[in-house]
Amino acid sequence: MARRAELEGHGGVVYVDGERRAPERAVVSVYDRGFLYGDSVFEVIRTYAGVPFGLAEHVARLHRSAAKLAIELPWSQQELVDELAREVREAGFSESYLRVVLTRGAGPLGLDPDLAVGPTRVTLVHPLTLPPREIYRDGVALWLASAPRATDGTAAEGAKASSYLANLLALREAKGHGAYEPLFVETSAAGARLALEGGSSNVFAVFGERLVTPPERRILSGVTRRHVLAAAPEAGLAVEVADLPIDRLLAADEVFITSTIREVVAVVRVLDGARTVTIGRGAPGPVTRRVHRAFRAHVGAGGAPMPWE
Ligand SMILES: Cc1ncc(COP(=O)(O)O)c(C=O)c1O
């Protein structure tokens, strides 16, 4: 468990409703519905060469997420883009990690969303810490998880809602089994097990020179996923957005996950209950490497050394 002292003074800058605050003085009301009910949405964004990547896309998703939760935002997408860009500039880190949280706001106690007085807006800007090199060098293991998520089957499905309890418990379970990330699985009406997404990532399977990734129906529309889908054809790879049965995933030549901070990470093993299945040769494969390089080129960061190098 992290100690309190480690939380404070770890170099971040916080904005609450647009006002800059030292992290230890950044507070929101205990009556805020984000705190009381997880009644909020969020985004994680990173910079490349100091510039927030896909900022407009992230803000568009934030707006879509808020709309799915029926949180009315008084700020246009452009206002949020401008404000976030300003906050990153002011924070002044060479590379930043940004977390933006919009809650329905504080209000008298009670579940009724109409009790909220208006949204709260928090941005955390931190120096970007990159994931450990080993995950790129060696690849990672996934743990198949079938727990329902907070938004599954609700109007908020596909929103980046802050209620990540199912995801974090699945991550804890995955780690308990020696895996790196849970992979959520749904059972179709016909009884097939279908791959959905990771605890905080999207998933792709590689068959020859073809990438297959599940459709957006029940997953978060990942910004990295979308850029991988756009970059892959430029790298000579075909893409297919289709249901991905677990049996097919386990027989793939390669599997990888994508997310904003981690970009592209090879999956070399999948833990399916007591069974461990090795993917391909059990090491990061050439197509995953190609996809990662293509993604980097796509985001304008093609010159930098790759994280496994
Ligand atoms: C559940 C889930 N799916 C997918 C992703 C990947 O999305 P992105 O590429 O936009 O970071 C995330 C990111 O946190 C996530 O939480």
Side-chain angles (χ1 to χ4, degrees), residues 42-45 58 61 99 149 159-161 164 167 181 184 196-203 219-227 258-263 295:
F42 75 107
E43 282 294 318
V44 171
I45 306 166
H58 282 284
R61 188 168 71 184
R99 189 183 177 95
R149 283 93 45 94
K160 202 164 165 75
Y164 260 46
N167 303 53
E181 172 108 341
F184 285 105
L196 289 174
E197 62 184 333
S200 56
S201 61
N202 290 116
V203 68
I219 61 168
L220 183 75
S221 171
V223 171
T224 320
R225 173 183 175 277
R226 270 194 283 135
H227 284 274
T258 62
S259 75
T260 291
I261 304 299
R262 292 169 292 181
E263 303 177 324
F295 173 79

Side-chain angles (χ1 to χ4, degrees), residues 11 36 51 68 81 87 93 99 112 121 169 208-209 247 280 282 306:
L36 289 173
V51 179
K68 283 185 191 225
V81 164
E87 291 168 352
F93 305 125
R99 189 183 177 95
D112 185 352
R121 188 166 96 250
L169 289 177
E209 304 238 305
D247 290 346
M306 299 306 290

Side-chain angles (χ1 to χ4, degrees), residues 142 144 181-184 194-206 211-215 219-220 225 228-229 240 242 244 246 249 254-259 265 267 270:
L142 296 182
L144 298 187
E181 172 108 341
L183 175 67
F184 285 105
L194 303 176
L196 289 174
E197 62 184 333
S200 56
S201 61
N202 290 116
V203 68
F204 287 75
V206 180
L211 311 183
V212 181
T213 194
I219 61 168
L220 183 75
R225 173 183 175 277
V228 163
L229 286 172
E240 183 186 334
L244 184 52
I246 291 299
L249 176 100
E254 301 177 31
V255 171
F256 62 84
I257 55 173
T258 62
S259 75
V265 179
V267 173
V270 176

